[in-house]
Amino acid sequence: MIFSLIFWLVAIYIAMRGFSQRHRQMHRWLQRELPLWEEKNIINIEQGNTLLGLYKLKRLEPARKMDMAKALTLVGAIFVGLGVIFFVASNWQKIPAHLRAFMLLPITLFTLYAGYFFSYEKQGFSQLGRSLLLLASLFWGGAIALIGQIYNIPVSENWYIMLLWAFPIVPIAVFFKNDYVHILASFLFVIWNFLYTVNNNIANYYYPIIIFTLILPTAKNLIISRRINIIGLVGASLYCCFYKYEWLSLFISAGLLAHYLTQREERVYLYSACLSFIFWAITFFTIHQQQPNIYFLLPIGFILYLTYRDDLKENLVICLVGLMAWLNLTLASLSQIWGYAFDPLSFITFQSSLGIIIYNAGIISKKKGYLFFEVYKALGYLVTFTCTYLLSFRLVLETDTGKTNPAYLYASFFVTVIIILLIIDKARSGYFKNKDTRLELAALLATLIGNSIMLTNPQAVSVNTVVANAMLVIFALTNIFLGVEIKRPFVFTLGIVIFALFIITRYIDLGWKLKEKSLFFIVGGLIILSLGTILEKQRRKIIEKMNTQ
Amino acid sequence: MNKKIIVVIIGFLWVAISAGMIISKQHTLRTGKTVVLETVPVDPRDFLRGDYVVLRYKLSSLDLNQIESDKPYYRPGENIYVKLKPKGKYWEAADISGKKEAVADGTFLKGKVRDYDLKTRKLEAAYGIESYFVPEGEGKVIVKNMRGNKSSVSVEVLVDSSGSALIKKVYIEM
């Protein structure tokens, strides 16, 4: 683990060195706007070039448009290529297998040369040439599969066929700048990695090395290919959790982060690095179940720093979810050490408390004028609401009743104390003077009190069911009143949706036990339809009123 | 670099790879010793190569309590060398080793450990002869016939001096 710390410290050092390029977003905006200003004759091309030169920027290449003829040659190439692969798969016996192989190989080579010829030797047929190069790459896959079929190479070694297909077509993608072949190769590498891991039961380090050193650097202007490879890498990290490959997910995460730090145009690198890092934390827990993971905090802190520095709203959500996952994994480790069993009630109420604290972070951020206050509020709300909704089911409250997990229980109370202190602080600063903030306070207190009642009295399932449902109704009502108060139709509609969800869920909950389910659905459907019509009418009236005001 | 040279290099690369695959398998076909193994088939389909029959051998699952081994345990992905000896009609595993030299005095198969259970000392291995490709639509028919008639299935395998194996024929005795 000490290596992991050293590694992250090195990564942080590298990042610090690159901090001079702080205005990346502004640069991107300028690159996008410039052609528009030139088109509208606000500035001329020379002035545009001067502006770009000032910031040492290059002109963005115009997006390539695909006409019908180009699309047809591409689709044609894909169809023919797939046809050949299906022909190989059919194992047609009328032509001997060896003869089929000796026919396919020259055809593949001929197509390869034709692709080159139309791309570079013959004027005006470059699209045909590109499609033929793709076709040659597909034929090559067919040829390899055919050889594998002739010699009965087992299906468990399909990874080997995928690799022999993918690698030799990379030079076409790179040297001939063929986007289609690049996408095909990226896709094949993803399949190769999956098959390799499944069939060999070992971590495939070759995959991220190939992608980081060969495929991603050559996919700079090719967004589809980049995304395929990023999805492949995140997928590889994800199944590290199941196969317990601790270092591989960490390696992938670090590689993605390094790519983000060197080419910050692609935000997805940071998102996927963060996701891979969370998968590493999960993998760490599956391997060292009784060892709380303290190594998580420093890197996630650094990722959070990058998130704020580069204004990446989406990544904040990933980081917060990661931190929640880490807290839960830590509590799960402590539960293992102390021998506490899992209990749904204390687990869900803990998540709910975390949701409230995230929501509070949003309130504080808004007050102090920090970035992303709405992200905190939205995520906090979503987490708390989801937990309350889950707790409103009697089945959840009944499961393992009375087996309260002390680790989660004390953690919930600890978080509750922090929330109360925050609320007192805000009350003293006069935050709750307005009607809208008082409504916020009502919802917060209702959730806190409800959670505390349920946690202190887990045996009383009936009482707790009523409490959780009351909390859900309070959620709906505060949203409706808050929506009217702050004149935000979205908040108001959300309240209506929660209310409708509450009615439908409870109806299904109660009616499901009835023997006559057809009648239950017909009557229920009619009631919901009528209720929906009335609610929708009222909702529209109020929203119209809000808009006119 | 000149594009024409690159396309020629790619062409040569493709020819070399396919020739390499063919030559290595042809070497086994030409020099291999024939052994017959008992097997049980099942019938899936591969997207790339069509219908095939999955062949599972007695050798696929080895009990180290019954077979001599020069190692106490094996890791998944590790190479193994299984010495074969004829027993009646079929060839069976005699010794198992992690080193080729230990079994090189006789006929042996090179395989890969798929799984090893430390408690039971049972080892799952693959030898590269677990799939037999058949014409489209025939896989299910073959397996159905074999199961219906409770017929015995054996596979004639060619094993070369390095332990690499290749399926020569599949025998179905109705």
Side-chain angles (χ1 to χ4, degrees), chain A residues 89-91 93 109 116 140 145 148-149 151-155 158 161 168 175-176 199 201, chain B residues 3-4 14-15 17-18 25-26 46 48-50 52 114 128 131-136:
Chain A
S90 73
N91 204 351
Q93 296 292 295
L109 294 174
Y116 156 76
W140 168 243
Q149 190 189 62
Y151 294 106
N152 291 300
I153 292 174
V155 174
N158 261 355
I161 286 182
F175 292 111
F176 298 133
N199 287 303
N201 267 335
Chain B
K3 296 274 191 280
K4 200 168 192 171
W14 288 9
V15 171
I17 291 171
S18 42
K25 297 295 173 188
Q26 284 295 339
D46 177 43
L48 280 178
R49 292 182 279 162
Y52 65 98
R114 300 191 65 76
S131 305
Y132 183 68
F133 288 86
V134 293
E136 193 170 19

mmCIF file of all heavy atoms in Angstrom, chain A residues 89-91 93 109 116 140 145 148-149 151-155 158 161 168 175-176 199 201, chain B residues 3-4 14-15 17-18 25-26 46 48-50 52 114 128 131-136:
data_model
loop_
_atom_site.group_PDB
_atom_site.id
_atom_site.type_symbol
_atom_site.label_atom_id
_atom_site.label_comp_id
_atom_site.label_asym_id
_atom_site.label_seq_id
_atom_site.Cartn_x
_atom_site.Cartn_y
_atom_site.Cartn_z
ATOM 1 N N ALA A 89 -18.362 -18.581 -40.417
ATOM 2 C CA ALA A 89 -19.054 -19.225 -39.297
ATOM 3 C C ALA A 89 -19.940 -20.380 -39.761
ATOM 4 O O ALA A 89 -20.145 -21.343 -39.032
ATOM 5 C CB ALA A 89 -19.878 -18.203 -38.538
ATOM 6 N N SER A 90 -20.445 -20.285 -40.991
ATOM 7 C CA SER A 90 -21.343 -21.349 -41.472
ATOM 8 C C SER A 90 -20.594 -22.648 -41.737
ATOM 9 O O SER A 90 -21.195 -23.712 -41.831
ATOM 10 C CB SER A 90 -22.067 -20.893 -42.740
ATOM 11 O OG SER A 90 -21.153 -20.887 -43.819
ATOM 12 N N ASN A 91 -19.263 -22.566 -41.872
ATOM 13 C CA ASN A 91 -18.421 -23.757 -42.062
ATOM 14 C C ASN A 91 -18.921 -24.599 -43.245
ATOM 15 O O ASN A 91 -19.126 -25.803 -43.134
ATOM 16 C CB ASN A 91 -18.440 -24.577 -40.762
ATOM 17 C CG ASN A 91 -17.212 -25.453 -40.639
ATOM 18 O OD1 ASN A 91 -16.436 -25.590 -41.574
ATOM 19 N ND2 ASN A 91 -17.038 -26.046 -39.473
ATOM 20 N N GLN A 93 -19.298 -26.796 -46.181
ATOM 21 C CA GLN A 93 -18.429 -27.930 -46.483
ATOM 22 C C GLN A 93 -18.184 -28.167 -47.974
ATOM 23 O O GLN A 93 -17.323 -28.955 -48.329
ATOM 24 C CB GLN A 93 -19.010 -29.208 -45.865
ATOM 25 C CG GLN A 93 -19.054 -29.167 -44.351
ATOM 26 C CD GLN A 93 -17.665 -29.187 -43.726
ATOM 27 O OE1 GLN A 93 -16.932 -30.150 -43.851
ATOM 28 N NE2 GLN A 93 -17.293 -28.097 -43.070
ATOM 29 N N LEU A 109 -5.730 -9.495 -48.993
ATOM 30 C CA LEU A 109 -4.566 -8.693 -49.383
ATOM 31 C C LEU A 109 -4.897 -7.782 -50.561
ATOM 32 O O LEU A 109 -4.478 -6.620 -50.606
ATOM 33 C CB LEU A 109 -3.389 -9.608 -49.733
ATOM 34 C CG LEU A 109 -2.832 -10.416 -48.554
ATOM 35 C CD1 LEU A 109 -1.783 -11.403 -49.022
ATOM 36 C CD2 LEU A 109 -2.257 -9.498 -47.487
ATOM 37 N N TYR A 116 -5.647 1.047 -50.310
ATOM 38 C CA TYR A 116 -4.534 1.984 -50.414
ATOM 39 C C TYR A 116 -4.605 2.735 -51.747
ATOM 40 O O TYR A 116 -4.476 3.963 -51.797
ATOM 41 C CB TYR A 116 -3.204 1.226 -50.295
ATOM 42 C CG TYR A 116 -2.061 1.943 -50.946
ATOM 43 C CD1 TYR A 116 -1.471 3.054 -50.334
ATOM 44 C CD2 TYR A 116 -1.604 1.541 -52.205
ATOM 45 C CE1 TYR A 116 -0.450 3.737 -50.960
ATOM 46 C CE2 TYR A 116 -0.592 2.223 -52.837
ATOM 47 C CZ TYR A 116 -0.013 3.324 -52.218
ATOM 48 O OH TYR A 116 0.980 4.015 -52.833
ATOM 49 N N TRP A 140 -9.686 -9.655 -42.743
ATOM 50 C CA TRP A 140 -8.560 -10.199 -41.963
ATOM 51 C C TRP A 140 -9.098 -10.964 -40.739
ATOM 52 O O TRP A 140 -8.631 -12.056 -40.428
ATOM 53 C CB TRP A 140 -7.617 -9.063 -41.555
ATOM 54 C CG TRP A 140 -6.608 -9.455 -40.534
ATOM 55 C CD1 TRP A 140 -6.473 -8.963 -39.280
ATOM 56 C CD2 TRP A 140 -5.575 -10.438 -40.677
ATOM 57 N NE1 TRP A 140 -5.448 -9.575 -38.626
ATOM 58 C CE2 TRP A 140 -4.871 -10.493 -39.461
ATOM 59 C CE3 TRP A 140 -5.188 -11.291 -41.706
ATOM 60 C CZ2 TRP A 140 -3.806 -11.356 -39.243
ATOM 61 C CZ3 TRP A 140 -4.119 -12.155 -41.486
ATOM 62 C CH2 TRP A 140 -3.444 -12.178 -40.280
ATOM 63 N N ALA A 145 -10.263 -16.135 -38.137
ATOM 64 C CA ALA A 145 -11.297 -17.021 -37.567
ATOM 65 C C ALA A 145 -11.329 -18.343 -38.330
ATOM 66 O O ALA A 145 -11.501 -19.418 -37.743
ATOM 67 C CB ALA A 145 -12.654 -16.344 -37.620
ATOM 68 N N GLY A 148 -8.509 -20.516 -37.303
ATOM 69 C CA GLY A 148 -8.851 -21.052 -35.986
ATOM 70 C C GLY A 148 -9.858 -22.177 -36.077
ATOM 71 O O GLY A 148 -9.786 -23.167 -35.338
ATOM 72 N N GLN A 149 -10.786 -22.033 -37.020
ATOM 73 C CA GLN A 149 -11.820 -23.067 -37.206
ATOM 74 C C GLN A 149 -11.218 -24.343 -37.786
ATOM 75 O O GLN A 149 -11.505 -25.449 -37.321
ATOM 76 C CB GLN A 149 -12.881 -22.508 -38.154
ATOM 77 C CG GLN A 149 -14.129 -23.340 -38.284
ATOM 78 C CD GLN A 149 -14.989 -22.795 -39.399
ATOM 79 O OE1 GLN A 149 -14.583 -22.775 -40.564
ATOM 80 N NE2 GLN A 149 -16.175 -22.312 -39.056
ATOM 81 N N TYR A 151 -8.199 -25.486 -37.515
ATOM 82 C CA TYR A 151 -7.354 -26.216 -36.565
ATOM 83 C C TYR A 151 -8.012 -26.388 -35.194
ATOM 84 O O TYR A 151 -7.357 -26.720 -34.224
ATOM 85 C CB TYR A 151 -5.998 -25.508 -36.436
ATOM 86 C CG TYR A 151 -5.216 -25.580 -37.727
ATOM 87 C CD1 TYR A 151 -5.084 -24.481 -38.544
ATOM 88 C CD2 TYR A 151 -4.649 -26.784 -38.146
ATOM 89 C CE1 TYR A 151 -4.394 -24.542 -39.746
ATOM 90 C CE2 TYR A 151 -3.959 -26.862 -39.347
ATOM 91 C CZ TYR A 151 -3.835 -25.739 -40.135
ATOM 92 O OH TYR A 151 -3.159 -25.821 -41.327
ATOM 93 N N ASN A 152 -9.322 -26.149 -35.139
ATOM 94 C CA ASN A 152 -10.086 -26.348 -33.902
ATOM 95 C C ASN A 152 -9.452 -25.670 -32.695
ATOM 96 O O ASN A 152 -9.381 -26.250 -31.606
ATOM 97 C CB ASN A 152 -10.265 -27.841 -33.617
ATOM 98 C CG ASN A 152 -11.192 -28.475 -34.630
ATOM 99 O OD1 ASN A 152 -12.346 -28.072 -34.736
ATOM 100 N ND2 ASN A 152 -10.682 -29.434 -35.389
ATOM 101 N N ILE A 153 -8.970 -24.445 -32.890
ATOM 102 C CA ILE A 153 -8.456 -23.683 -31.734
ATOM 103 C C ILE A 153 -9.649 -23.462 -30.800
ATOM 104 O O ILE A 153 -10.685 -22.959 -31.227
ATOM 105 C CB ILE A 153 -7.836 -22.345 -32.184
ATOM 106 C CG1 ILE A 153 -6.561 -22.629 -32.980
ATOM 107 C CG2 ILE A 153 -7.527 -21.438 -30.988
ATOM 108 C CD1 ILE A 153 -5.915 -21.438 -33.612
ATOM 109 N N PRO A 154 -9.549 -23.874 -29.532
ATOM 110 C CA PRO A 154 -10.743 -23.866 -28.675
ATOM 111 C C PRO A 154 -11.316 -22.471 -28.440
ATOM 112 O O PRO A 154 -10.593 -21.470 -28.520
ATOM 113 C CB PRO A 154 -10.250 -24.471 -27.358
ATOM 114 C CG PRO A 154 -8.795 -24.400 -27.406
ATOM 115 C CD PRO A 154 -8.362 -24.363 -28.820
ATOM 116 N N VAL A 155 -12.605 -22.468 -28.177
ATOM 117 C CA VAL A 155 -13.301 -21.200 -27.975
ATOM 118 C C VAL A 155 -12.750 -20.467 -26.755
ATOM 119 O O VAL A 155 -12.773 -19.242 -26.699
ATOM 120 C CB VAL A 155 -14.816 -21.484 -27.828
ATOM 121 C CG1 VAL A 155 -15.582 -20.239 -27.462
ATOM 122 C CG2 VAL A 155 -15.348 -22.045 -29.125
ATOM 123 N N ASN A 158 -10.525 -17.736 -27.754
ATOM 124 C CA ASN A 158 -11.016 -16.704 -28.667
ATOM 125 C C ASN A 158 -10.326 -15.368 -28.428
ATOM 126 O O ASN A 158 -10.205 -14.546 -29.336
ATOM 127 C CB ASN A 158 -12.529 -16.521 -28.491
ATOM 128 C CG ASN A 158 -13.305 -17.261 -29.557
ATOM 129 O OD1 ASN A 158 -12.726 -17.840 -30.476
ATOM 130 N ND2 ASN A 158 -14.611 -17.269 -29.428
ATOM 131 N N ILE A 161 -7.606 -15.070 -30.817
ATOM 132 C CA ILE A 161 -8.050 -14.718 -32.170
ATOM 133 C C ILE A 161 -8.370 -13.221 -32.239
ATOM 134 O O ILE A 161 -8.013 -12.534 -33.199
ATOM 135 C CB ILE A 161 -9.260 -15.598 -32.556
ATOM 136 C CG1 ILE A 161 -8.733 -17.010 -32.837
ATOM 137 C CG2 ILE A 161 -10.017 -15.035 -33.759
ATOM 138 C CD1 ILE A 161 -9.723 -17.998 -33.270
ATOM 139 N N PRO A 168 -2.898 -6.471 -35.788
ATOM 140 C CA PRO A 168 -2.390 -6.174 -37.137
ATOM 141 C C PRO A 168 -3.192 -5.136 -37.910
ATOM 142 O O PRO A 168 -2.741 -4.690 -38.959
ATOM 143 C CB PRO A 168 -2.470 -7.541 -37.838
ATOM 144 C CG PRO A 168 -2.510 -8.534 -36.744
ATOM 145 C CD PRO A 168 -3.270 -7.887 -35.645
ATOM 146 N N PHE A 175 -1.336 4.673 -39.476
ATOM 147 C CA PHE A 175 -0.573 5.251 -40.592
ATOM 148 C C PHE A 175 -1.477 5.821 -41.694
ATOM 149 O O PHE A 175 -1.115 6.762 -42.361
ATOM 150 C CB PHE A 175 0.387 4.220 -41.180
ATOM 151 C CG PHE A 175 1.491 3.865 -40.230
ATOM 152 C CD1 PHE A 175 1.552 2.608 -39.660
ATOM 153 C CD2 PHE A 175 2.450 4.803 -39.879
ATOM 154 C CE1 PHE A 175 2.564 2.278 -38.770
ATOM 155 C CE2 PHE A 175 3.462 4.496 -38.985
ATOM 156 C CZ PHE A 175 3.516 3.232 -38.426
ATOM 157 N N PHE A 176 -2.646 5.196 -41.879
ATOM 158 C CA PHE A 176 -3.556 5.716 -42.912
ATOM 159 C C PHE A 176 -4.653 6.592 -42.308
ATOM 160 O O PHE A 176 -5.585 6.971 -43.007
ATOM 161 C CB PHE A 176 -4.179 4.551 -43.707
ATOM 162 C CG PHE A 176 -3.160 3.719 -44.435
ATOM 163 C CD1 PHE A 176 -3.184 2.345 -44.381
ATOM 164 C CD2 PHE A 176 -2.161 4.337 -45.169
ATOM 165 C CE1 PHE A 176 -2.238 1.577 -45.040
ATOM 166 C CE2 PHE A 176 -1.207 3.581 -45.832
ATOM 167 C CZ PHE A 176 -1.237 2.208 -45.774
ATOM 168 N N ASN A 199 -11.400 -16.105 -19.497
ATOM 169 C CA ASN A 199 -10.882 -17.445 -19.804
ATOM 170 C C ASN A 199 -9.596 -17.800 -19.069
ATOM 171 O O ASN A 199 -9.315 -18.973 -18.870
ATOM 172 C CB ASN A 199 -10.668 -17.605 -21.309
ATOM 173 C CG ASN A 199 -11.986 -17.726 -22.020
ATOM 174 O OD1 ASN A 199 -12.786 -18.610 -21.716
ATOM 175 N ND2 ASN A 199 -12.255 -16.827 -22.947
ATOM 176 N N ASN A 201 -8.545 -16.249 -16.046
ATOM 177 C CA ASN A 201 -8.620 -15.996 -14.606
ATOM 178 C C ASN A 201 -7.421 -15.207 -14.075
ATOM 179 O O ASN A 201 -6.992 -15.413 -12.947
ATOM 180 C CB ASN A 201 -8.690 -17.322 -13.843
ATOM 181 C CG ASN A 201 -10.120 -17.713 -13.599
ATOM 182 O OD1 ASN A 201 -10.988 -16.850 -13.560
ATOM 183 N ND2 ASN A 201 -10.363 -18.995 -13.429
ATOM 184 N N LYS B 3 3.473 5.669 -47.966
ATOM 185 C CA LYS B 3 2.251 4.878 -47.708
ATOM 186 C C LYS B 3 2.288 3.522 -48.412
ATOM 187 O O LYS B 3 1.761 2.529 -47.904
ATOM 188 C CB LYS B 3 1.020 5.667 -48.170
ATOM 189 C CG LYS B 3 0.799 6.954 -47.400
ATOM 190 C CD LYS B 3 0.000 6.692 -46.141
ATOM 191 C CE LYS B 3 -0.484 7.939 -45.476
ATOM 192 N NZ LYS B 3 0.488 8.647 -44.656
ATOM 193 N N LYS B 4 2.910 3.503 -49.607
ATOM 194 C CA LYS B 4 2.953 2.258 -50.380
ATOM 195 C C LYS B 4 3.779 1.210 -49.624
ATOM 196 O O LYS B 4 3.411 0.034 -49.556
ATOM 197 C CB LYS B 4 3.564 2.530 -51.751
ATOM 198 C CG LYS B 4 3.218 1.466 -52.770
ATOM 199 C CD LYS B 4 3.599 1.933 -54.152
ATOM 200 C CE LYS B 4 2.996 1.021 -55.204
ATOM 201 N NZ LYS B 4 3.164 1.572 -56.534
ATOM 202 N N TRP B 14 0.392 -9.552 -42.252
ATOM 203 C CA TRP B 14 -0.800 -10.410 -42.239
ATOM 204 C C TRP B 14 -0.463 -11.813 -42.760
ATOM 205 O O TRP B 14 -0.891 -12.815 -42.201
ATOM 206 C CB TRP B 14 -1.925 -9.788 -43.075
ATOM 207 C CG TRP B 14 -2.540 -8.574 -42.421
ATOM 208 C CD1 TRP B 14 -2.080 -7.939 -41.308
ATOM 209 C CD2 TRP B 14 -3.700 -7.863 -42.834
ATOM 210 N NE1 TRP B 14 -2.889 -6.877 -41.005
ATOM 211 C CE2 TRP B 14 -3.894 -6.795 -41.926
ATOM 212 C CE3 TRP B 14 -4.596 -7.990 -43.895
ATOM 213 C CZ2 TRP B 14 -4.948 -5.884 -42.040
ATOM 214 C CZ3 TRP B 14 -5.653 -7.090 -44.004
ATOM 215 C CH2 TRP B 14 -5.823 -6.048 -43.088
ATOM 216 N N VAL B 15 0.299 -11.843 -43.841
ATOM 217 C CA VAL B 15 0.688 -13.153 -44.404
ATOM 218 C C VAL B 15 1.535 -13.916 -43.377
ATOM 219 O O VAL B 15 1.325 -15.114 -43.138
ATOM 220 C CB VAL B 15 1.462 -12.971 -45.728
ATOM 221 C CG1 VAL B 15 2.068 -14.292 -46.194
ATOM 222 C CG2 VAL B 15 0.553 -12.418 -46.806
ATOM 223 N N ILE B 17 1.594 -13.636 -40.094
ATOM 224 C CA ILE B 17 0.808 -14.113 -38.953
ATOM 225 C C ILE B 17 0.004 -15.346 -39.335
ATOM 226 O O ILE B 17 0.004 -16.365 -38.633
ATOM 227 C CB ILE B 17 -0.116 -12.997 -38.416
ATOM 228 C CG1 ILE B 17 0.725 -11.904 -37.754
ATOM 229 C CG2 ILE B 17 -1.127 -13.546 -37.412
ATOM 230 C CD1 ILE B 17 -0.044 -10.660 -37.391
ATOM 231 N N SER B 18 -0.695 -15.256 -40.471
ATOM 232 C CA SER B 18 -1.530 -16.404 -40.860
ATOM 233 C C SER B 18 -0.643 -17.608 -41.182
ATOM 234 O O SER B 18 -0.966 -18.742 -40.791
ATOM 235 C CB SER B 18 -2.458 -16.046 -42.019
ATOM 236 O OG SER B 18 -1.760 -15.287 -42.971
ATOM 237 N N LYS B 25 0.521 -25.236 -36.571
ATOM 238 C CA LYS B 25 -0.480 -26.307 -36.472
ATOM 239 C C LYS B 25 -0.121 -27.466 -37.408
ATOM 240 O O LYS B 25 -0.308 -28.629 -37.068
ATOM 241 C CB LYS B 25 -1.879 -25.763 -36.818
ATOM 242 C CG LYS B 25 -2.373 -24.699 -35.866
ATOM 243 C CD LYS B 25 -2.582 -25.241 -34.474
ATOM 244 C CE LYS B 25 -2.905 -24.149 -33.484
ATOM 245 N NZ LYS B 25 -2.931 -24.601 -32.106
ATOM 246 N N GLN B 26 0.406 -27.113 -38.612
ATOM 247 C CA GLN B 26 0.806 -28.165 -39.562
ATOM 248 C C GLN B 26 1.946 -29.008 -38.992
ATOM 249 O O GLN B 26 2.017 -30.202 -39.219
ATOM 250 C CB GLN B 26 1.234 -27.542 -40.901
ATOM 251 C CG GLN B 26 0.076 -27.074 -41.773
ATOM 252 C CD GLN B 26 -0.816 -28.205 -42.250
ATOM 253 O OE1 GLN B 26 -0.422 -29.361 -42.292
ATOM 254 N NE2 GLN B 26 -2.060 -27.892 -42.585
ATOM 255 N N ASP B 46 -20.393 -20.351 -31.722
ATOM 256 C CA ASP B 46 -19.490 -19.215 -31.625
ATOM 257 C C ASP B 46 -19.841 -18.237 -32.738
ATOM 258 O O ASP B 46 -20.066 -18.658 -33.873
ATOM 259 C CB ASP B 46 -18.046 -19.732 -31.768
ATOM 260 C CG ASP B 46 -17.048 -18.595 -31.740
ATOM 261 O OD1 ASP B 46 -17.223 -17.710 -30.894
ATOM 262 O OD2 ASP B 46 -16.123 -18.600 -32.558
ATOM 263 N N LEU B 48 -18.045 -16.084 -34.322
ATOM 264 C CA LEU B 48 -17.061 -15.996 -35.406
ATOM 265 C C LEU B 48 -16.946 -17.279 -36.214
ATOM 266 O O LEU B 48 -16.784 -17.258 -37.421
ATOM 267 C CB LEU B 48 -15.682 -15.682 -34.823
ATOM 268 C CG LEU B 48 -15.393 -14.244 -34.450
ATOM 269 C CD1 LEU B 48 -14.019 -14.161 -33.845
ATOM 270 C CD2 LEU B 48 -15.480 -13.350 -35.663
ATOM 271 N N ARG B 49 -16.988 -18.399 -35.506
ATOM 272 C CA ARG B 49 -16.614 -19.632 -36.192
ATOM 273 C C ARG B 49 -17.744 -20.655 -36.284
ATOM 274 O O ARG B 49 -17.537 -21.791 -36.645
ATOM 275 C CB ARG B 49 -15.384 -20.234 -35.507
ATOM 276 C CG ARG B 49 -14.170 -19.354 -35.716
ATOM 277 C CD ARG B 49 -12.963 -19.940 -35.092
ATOM 278 N NE ARG B 49 -12.889 -19.680 -33.682
ATOM 279 C CZ ARG B 49 -12.122 -20.356 -32.849
ATOM 280 N NH1 ARG B 49 -11.397 -21.359 -33.286
ATOM 281 N NH2 ARG B 49 -12.087 -20.050 -31.568
ATOM 282 N N GLY B 50 -18.935 -20.270 -35.894
ATOM 283 C CA GLY B 50 -20.099 -21.123 -36.096
ATOM 284 C C GLY B 50 -20.269 -22.216 -35.057
ATOM 285 O O GLY B 50 -19.793 -22.101 -33.929
ATOM 286 N N TYR B 52 -19.994 -25.544 -32.925
ATOM 287 C CA TYR B 52 -18.889 -26.394 -32.503
ATOM 288 C C TYR B 52 -19.364 -27.288 -31.364
ATOM 289 O O TYR B 52 -20.415 -27.057 -30.775
ATOM 290 C CB TYR B 52 -17.673 -25.575 -32.072
ATOM 291 C CG TYR B 52 -17.864 -24.731 -30.847
ATOM 292 C CD1 TYR B 52 -17.430 -25.172 -29.606
ATOM 293 C CD2 TYR B 52 -18.473 -23.483 -30.923
ATOM 294 C CE1 TYR B 52 -17.603 -24.389 -28.469
ATOM 295 C CE2 TYR B 52 -18.647 -22.710 -29.807
ATOM 296 C CZ TYR B 52 -18.208 -23.161 -28.585
ATOM 297 O OH TYR B 52 -18.380 -22.394 -27.471
ATOM 298 N N ARG B 114 -6.741 -24.027 -15.189
ATOM 299 C CA ARG B 114 -7.885 -23.109 -15.162
ATOM 300 C C ARG B 114 -8.307 -22.840 -13.721
ATOM 301 O O ARG B 114 -8.726 -21.743 -13.391
ATOM 302 C CB ARG B 114 -9.062 -23.687 -15.948
ATOM 303 C CG ARG B 114 -8.706 -23.929 -17.407
ATOM 304 C CD ARG B 114 -9.916 -24.244 -18.217
ATOM 305 N NE ARG B 114 -10.814 -23.112 -18.269
ATOM 306 C CZ ARG B 114 -10.631 -22.033 -19.025
ATOM 307 N NH1 ARG B 114 -9.569 -21.967 -19.805
ATOM 308 N NH2 ARG B 114 -11.480 -21.051 -19.021
ATOM 309 N N GLY B 128 -6.215 -26.913 -25.165
ATOM 310 C CA GLY B 128 -6.342 -26.364 -26.522
ATOM 311 C C GLY B 128 -7.026 -27.316 -27.480
ATOM 312 O O GLY B 128 -6.941 -27.155 -28.704
ATOM 313 N N SER B 131 -12.532 -27.632 -28.339
ATOM 314 C CA SER B 131 -13.599 -27.266 -29.285
ATOM 315 C C SER B 131 -13.397 -28.017 -30.596
ATOM 316 O O SER B 131 -12.270 -28.104 -31.096
ATOM 317 C CB SER B 131 -13.572 -25.767 -29.570
ATOM 318 O OG SER B 131 -13.642 -25.046 -28.380
ATOM 319 N N TYR B 132 -14.510 -28.511 -31.154
ATOM 320 C CA TYR B 132 -14.444 -29.161 -32.462
ATOM 321 C C TYR B 132 -15.512 -28.526 -33.336
ATOM 322 O O TYR B 132 -16.711 -28.619 -33.045
ATOM 323 C CB TYR B 132 -14.675 -30.667 -32.315
ATOM 324 C CG TYR B 132 -14.537 -31.410 -33.624
ATOM 325 C CD1 TYR B 132 -13.301 -31.527 -34.248
ATOM 326 C CD2 TYR B 132 -15.645 -31.979 -34.245
ATOM 327 C CE1 TYR B 132 -13.170 -32.185 -35.459
ATOM 328 C CE2 TYR B 132 -15.521 -32.645 -35.455
ATOM 329 C CZ TYR B 132 -14.281 -32.740 -36.055
ATOM 330 O OH TYR B 132 -14.152 -33.387 -37.257
ATOM 331 N N PHE B 133 -15.073 -27.838 -34.397
ATOM 332 C CA PHE B 133 -16.005 -27.077 -35.229
ATOM 333 C C PHE B 133 -16.656 -27.966 -36.284
ATOM 334 O O PHE B 133 -15.987 -28.771 -36.935
ATOM 335 C CB PHE B 133 -15.286 -25.897 -35.879
ATOM 336 C CG PHE B 133 -14.965 -24.844 -34.868
ATOM 337 C CD1 PHE B 133 -13.797 -24.911 -34.120
ATOM 338 C CD2 PHE B 133 -15.860 -23.825 -34.598
ATOM 339 C CE1 PHE B 133 -13.526 -23.975 -33.148
ATOM 340 C CE2 PHE B 133 -15.588 -22.884 -33.618
ATOM 341 C CZ PHE B 133 -14.425 -22.961 -32.899
ATOM 342 N N VAL B 134 -17.972 -27.794 -36.420
ATOM 343 C CA VAL B 134 -18.747 -28.631 -37.352
ATOM 344 C C VAL B 134 -19.578 -27.730 -38.255
ATOM 345 O O VAL B 134 -19.789 -26.561 -37.930
ATOM 346 C CB VAL B 134 -19.685 -29.590 -36.570
ATOM 347 C CG1 VAL B 134 -18.906 -30.628 -35.797
ATOM 348 C CG2 VAL B 134 -20.608 -28.820 -35.644
ATOM 349 N N PRO B 135 -20.080 -28.246 -39.400
ATOM 350 C CA PRO B 135 -20.895 -27.407 -40.281
ATOM 351 C C PRO B 135 -22.146 -26.884 -39.562
ATOM 352 O O PRO B 135 -22.649 -27.528 -38.648
ATOM 353 C CB PRO B 135 -21.285 -28.360 -41.418
ATOM 354 C CG PRO B 135 -20.226 -29.387 -41.411
ATOM 355 C CD PRO B 135 -19.803 -29.554 -39.997
ATOM 356 N N GLU B 136 -22.623 -25.709 -40.050
ATOM 357 C CA GLU B 136 -23.741 -25.035 -39.393
ATOM 358 C C GLU B 136 -24.954 -25.950 -39.235
ATOM 359 O O GLU B 136 -25.349 -26.640 -40.165
ATOM 360 C CB GLU B 136 -24.142 -23.811 -40.224
ATOM 361 C CG GLU B 136 -25.058 -22.879 -39.493
ATOM 362 C CD GLU B 136 -25.233 -21.564 -40.243
ATOM 363 O OE1 GLU B 136 -24.959 -21.521 -41.449
ATOM 364 O OE2 GLU B 136 -25.647 -20.594 -39.596
#
